[in-house]
Amino acid sequence: QVQLVESGGGSVQAGGSLTLSCAASGSTSSDYCMAWFRQAPGEEREGIACTDDDGRTTYRDSVKGRFTISKDNSKNTLYLHMINLKVDDTAMYSCALNVYGLACSATALLRREQFNYWGQGTQVTVSA
C-alpha cells in the first residue's frame, strides 16, 4: 500500500511563490508516473504537471514557465515549485501516483482515472 502526504500549501498574495511537497511511503515502484492535480471550487479536477521514471516532465499550458515539478528519489518526495502565483491558481492541490508504467505526457494529465494513489491535498489560496 502506498501513502501520499502533501504539505506546503498556504495563503499568498498574487505574484508570490510556494513550494508544495508530496511524500510517498509504502511499496512504491521504480516504474512510475507522478503528477500534481488541482481542483478549484465548482470546477473539475485538472492535471497540471507530471514527471516519470524516465525523467519526462509535462505541464498544463496555464502553468508553463511558472511551475516546476521535480522529484527527490532519495527522499521519495515530489515537489511543485510555484512562482508568480495568480488568483486563478487558488485550488486544492493533490499529488497522484501511477505505478503501472504510465508515461508522463499531456494525455496522462487528462487521465486522472489512471492514477492509482492520491494524497489528501493541500490548499493554495492566492489573493489579489
Side-chain angles (χ1 to χ4, degrees), residues 103-126:
C104 171
S105 67
T107 301
L109 291 179
L110 299 175
R111 295 180 176 173
R112 57 183 183 266
E113 71 280 359
Q114 293 201 17
F115 288 86
N116 317 100
Y117 300 99
W118 291 83
Q120 292 298 309
T122 185
Q123 178 68 36
V124 172
T125 302
V126 185

Side-chain angles (χ1 to χ4, degrees), residues 14-93:
S17 62
L18 281 174
T19 297
L20 307 182
S21 301
C22 171
S25 62
S27 301
T28 57
S29 169
S30 60
D31 192 14
Y32 67 86
C33 177
M34 293 193 76
W36 287 98
F37 286 76
R38 68 184 182 186
Q39 187 170 21
E43 303 289 334
E44 289 203 358
R45 183 176 289 182
E46 62 181 18
I48 56 172
C50 63
T51 186
D52 63 22
D53 56 283
D54 285 330
R56 285 177 286 242
T57 58
T58 299
Y59 297 90
R60 191 179 188 86
D61 285 348
S62 60
V63 306
K64 281 181 183 176
R66 300 188 299 119
F67 291 10
T68 303
I69 190 170
S70 63
K71 188 172 185 287
D72 185 335
N73 290 323
S74 68
K75 297 181 179 179
N76 219 6
T77 299
L78 182 74
Y79 299 97
L80 185 68
H81 182 54
M82 307 181 291
I83 64 171
N84 192 19
L85 282 160
K86 304 177 180 180
V87 173
D88 286 348
D89 293 320
T90 295
M92 180 69 76
Y93 285 70

